[in-house]
Amino acid sequence: MSEDSPGIVVHPSLKLEDVREQFGGNEPQGRGRGTAAPRGYNAELLANAMLGEHPRFEKWSPGPWVDNYVTSQSGVSCYVEVKTAINQYPSQTPGRFRIWGPHHHRLLASADVYEDTSRLHLYLFVVYTLDSGIEREIGKVVVPAIHVDDHIDTWSLTDHVTMGEQLTYTISWRALLGALGVSLAEFTTMDTIDLTTGSDSLQAARKHTDA
């Protein structure tokens, strides 16, 4: 995929609430279903609908290190790790994304193996707010995993109910946007910011928000 090619997102206008409204809410299935939040599971379904040729809310994963595997409209295979964060905690601080080291490093290792343009290894970050207990999407961004890795500086140990003690990296969603060069206005105005083609989609977002 060249710098001048269109982004990987096929259906950017789909939102987190579209999954809930279609299915009436989803209970997580498969590995980790006992601890997964429905909104996180819905975001994984959203990834498939956004990137796939047909806007279907479904998911399939080749292993526990990645949330979804999608074949895009252009035939590009996408390995997608999905992260959600609430807009603001009760403490008035911004919500945070947590990246698990084993999953992140496995995603990067797979990217090293497939150094070609027919496979992409991506993160989908989704920020939501709660309205009467129902999540409403604020914004989302799709970014190559290697670009996320560029901004990870310090890992910490965190205990997980099923994985045990593992390395993690946490970052507020506002700090992540800053690291990626995305403004709050861009993030909340555009349906989806797609950073898989360098700055192309971000420039389009800036033209939209400046209009």
Side-chain angles (χ1 to χ4, degrees):
M1 183 173 295
S2 71
E3 287 291 317
D4 296 326
S5 64
I8 197 65
V9 177
V10 182
H11 306 285
S13 64
L14 291 173
K15 296 185 179 296
L16 185 61
E17 49 265 37
D18 292 331
V19 188
R20 172 177 289 278
E21 289 169 3
Q22 175 160 329
F23 292 102
N26 283 299
E27 289 301 320
Q29 302 296 322
R31 190 176 188 273
R33 63 185 180 275
T35 57
R39 68 183 64 94
Y41 182 69
N42 285 351
E44 294 170 12
L45 298 178
L46 176 63
N48 186 89
M50 288 171 51
L51 302 175
E53 181 175 0
H54 304 289
R56 295 171 180 156
F57 297 118
E58 58 191 19
K59 85 182 227 86
W60 180 83
S61 172
W65 53 276
V66 66
D67 292 317
N68 212 332
Y69 173 86
V70 185
T71 300
S72 75
Q73 190 174 42
S74 59
V76 176
S77 299
C78 303
Y79 297 81
V80 190
E81 184 73 349
V82 180
K83 298 296 174 184
T84 60
I86 193 168
N87 173 38
Q88 187 171 271
Y89 295 129
S91 62
Q92 308 302 307
T93 57
R96 300 173 68 84
F97 293 113
R98 174 175 289 172
I99 294 172
W100 290 92
H103 297 171
H104 178 74
H105 293 134
R106 179 65 180 83
L107 194 64
L108 292 181
S110 180
D112 286 340
V113 171
Y114 298 109
E115 290 187 283
D116 57 59
T117 57
S118 65
R119 297 173 189 259
L120 294 177
H121 296 73
L122 311 170
Y123 275 94
L124 166 62
F125 294 100
V126 183
V127 179
Y128 64 91
T129 188
L130 291 177
D131 180 7
S132 300
I134 302 299
E135 61 268 17
R136 299 294 178 190
E137 181 183 306
I138 288 179
K140 56 186 178 295
V141 57
V142 176
V143 57
I146 189 65
H147 293 170
V148 175
D149 188 66
D150 289 341
H151 302 292
I152 295 178
D153 47 15
T154 304
W155 293 94
S156 301
L157 282 174
T158 303
D159 192 43
H160 187 274
V161 66
T162 60
M163 294 190 296
E165 197 173 65
Q166 299 289 349
L167 290 175
T168 61
Y169 177 74
T170 59
I171 184 172
S172 78
W173 68 271
R174 288 177 178 260
L176 177 69
L177 293 187
L180 297 176
V182 177
S183 75
L184 179 62
E186 292 161 350
F187 186 68
T188 57
T189 301
M190 297 300 294
D191 289 326
T192 302
I193 292 183
D194 182 352
L195 299 182
T196 60
T197 57
S199 61
D200 291 353
S201 294
L202 188 53
Q203 291 302 323
R206 285 175 176 152
K207 289 179 182 178
H208 181 88
T209 54
D210 291 341

